[in-house]
Amino acid sequence: MRTTSPSTVLVTGAAGYIGATLVRRLLADGARVIALDNLERGHAEQLPRDVPLIVGDVRDPDSVRQALGMFDRTPDACIHLAGLIQVGESTLFPQLYHDVNVVGTQVLADLCLEAGVAAFVMASSAAVLRPLQGVGDRLDEDAPVGPESPYGSSKLAGEHTLRAAAQLGRMSTVALRLFNVAGAAYGLAERHDPETHLIPLALRAAAGELPPLHVFGDDFPTPDRTCLRDYVHVRDVVEAFTRAARLAVAQTASGSAEFQVFHVGTGHGTSVNEVIAACELVLGKPVPRVVHGRRPGDVAALVSDPSKLAQVLNIHPDRDLLRMVRDAAATLGLLDG
Ligand code: UFG
């Protein structure tokens, strides 16, 4: 199928870490981008000044209509990154996660359908999957779902919304199940507020900016007893969004709208201890740490099988953890020179 880049794209959650990086990637493709973000957790200053930002919530139809109306015609694609993303927090506030991630996706998808948007791509998550049985397993798109956390359940419900929307035949929808997004591109640092992700926490603990890192559990059934995750460079992640949007636009144009899922990871599992060692190597100093109890909702291992990503979208993610850590450290201002 011949694919062309969408020329107009609405990006929700555009002021977040992945969102702001994606906006840069789309602009490099020559796209016109409108950003929608409620700025509860995003940072407006991460966006280029010439990208219009609607400060509003995806659950609010008026904000979504305003954002869709900023283009002189219906945008080709909507890339939906707005949402809450913390497994642990979701166990404390399951209703909030349902509201933002499920209701928000429904409102946005309905209004995109109504407006005639051709392609809708959503950030889903590896958290929708049933945890590995064997630690060496790699999970492809046919792997059984069975979320452990309210966060995972909310993302799975969002996928169901997209499947139903595509069945109407007017809008192709794609769920990208992101594994552990890491690294940095376009000089944009990962700065969640509060920060909960391992790599920035470990780097900033080593630099003395944060207290010692809590290692959440050293009693998992993994080789070194700490959790295994699949860390994937944010540069590859935004490439996946860009190419998925292209594919979805082409599918709708050819009269074959459908729903697709892709796993976005490297296919390689890395333990918490291995990440800490990489941070120490990159910074040349120790990561102060204490072993803590398990974090609620954390599973022993989540590792992708990214074969479909390679075959259909021709993306072969970089497996170099040191590069991800170095890029993250550089944008956090933690590398000399
Ligand atoms: N970890 C620690 N200490 C910390 C923070 C994290 O030991 O202070 C451990 C966690 O237990 C986990 C690993 O580091 O084993 C990675 O944790 P992150 O918080 O960085 O990421 P998660 O795996 O919890 O979640 C991320 C995304 C989710 C996505 C998931 C998919 O935030 O949205 O990856 O694998 F679903």
Side-chain angles (χ1 to χ4, degrees):
M1 184 176 305
R2 215 178 146 264
T3 64
T4 48
S5 299
S7 58
T8 46
V9 187
L10 170 63
V11 179
T12 77
Y17 157 58
I18 303 173
T21 309
L22 173 66
V23 167
R24 298 308 194 290
R25 174 67 190 83
L26 292 167
L27 293 176
D29 245 8
R32 247 193 88 208
V33 176
I34 303 290
L36 175 63
D37 199 302
N38 66 11
L39 296 185
E40 265 181 31
R41 303 200 180 183
H43 307 277
E45 63 278 10
Q46 297 271 60
L47 287 168
R49 288 231 175 84
D50 53 351
V51 169
L53 167 66
I54 307 300
V55 181
D57 197 291
V58 286
R59 290 167 292 176
D60 171 28
D62 290 340
S63 295
V64 174
R65 283 204 184 91
Q66 189 192 350
L68 286 166
M70 293 289 289
F71 297 94
D72 38 22
R73 60 182 175 84
T74 298
D76 300 323
C78 172
I79 303 185
H80 176 35
L81 302 172
L84 296 175
I85 60 163
Q86 293 169 26
V87 173
E89 182 185 59
S90 78
T91 63
L92 300 173
F93 305 105
Q95 294 295 81
L96 177 67
Y97 270 68
H98 180 87
D99 196 33
V100 174
N101 291 354
V102 183
V103 176
T105 300
Q106 185 75 58
V107 169
L108 183 68
D110 285 352
L111 291 172
C112 284
L113 263 172
E114 185 184 288
V117 173
F120 189 103
V121 185
M122 181 184 82
S124 184
S125 168
V128 304
L129 297 163
R130 193 183 299 164
L132 292 185
Q133 299 302 311
V135 158
D137 292 355
R138 302 194 316 159
L139 302 172
D140 68 13
E141 291 76 3
D142 296 324
V145 292
E148 286 275 292
S149 63
Y151 168 65
S153 302
S154 71
K155 283 294 176 185
L156 188 59
E159 291 190 9
H160 292 152
T161 298
L162 297 203
R163 183 185 296 279
Q167 278 165 357
L168 297 171
R170 306 193 305 269
M171 180 169 82
S172 284
T173 58
V174 183
L176 296 186
R177 290 182 183 157
L178 307 183
F179 283 67
N180 287 60
V181 185
Y186 301 104
L188 294 166
E190 177 174 8
R191 278 195 188 278
H192 291 106
D193 195 10
E195 188 54 76
T196 62
H197 289 118
L198 178 61
I199 293 176
L201 285 175
L203 288 170
R204 294 174 65 193
E209 286 186 11
L210 290 177
L213 179 75
H214 284 171
V215 174
F216 292 137
D218 65 352
D219 57 351
F220 287 95
T222 59
D224 70 12
R225 317 282 288 166
T226 64
C227 290
L228 286 179
R229 294 288 184 274
D230 184 342
Y231 296 88
V232 57
H233 202 296
V234 68
R235 194 183 307 106
D236 293 314
V237 171
V238 300
E239 194 59 37
F241 277 105
T242 307
R243 293 191 194 184
R246 260 184 226 162
L247 176 69
V249 167
Q251 281 173 329
T252 301
S254 68
S256 53
E258 62 170 298
F259 169 64
Q260 293 222 54
V261 175
F262 291 92
H263 282 190
V264 182
T266 63
H268 181 70
T270 304
S271 73
V272 172
N273 282 342
E274 287 169 332
V275 169
I276 291 170
C279 293
E280 292 182 331
L281 197 64
V282 164
L283 293 185
K285 44 180 111 159
V287 173
R289 56 191 180 271
V290 284
V291 176
H292 198 271
R294 290 186 183 190
R295 188 173 60 175
D298 271 349
V299 300
L302 268 178
V303 181
S304 71
D305 176 342
S307 305
K308 183 176 173 192
L309 187 74
Q311 279 155 19
V312 180
L313 298 182
N314 196 21
I315 294 177
H316 305 269
D318 185 357
R319 285 182 164 208
D320 188 342
L321 181 70
L322 281 179
R323 183 151 38 225
M324 294 182 218
V325 171
R326 212 178 293 119
D327 289 351
T331 55
L332 287 168
L334 303 180
L335 288 186
D336 301 328

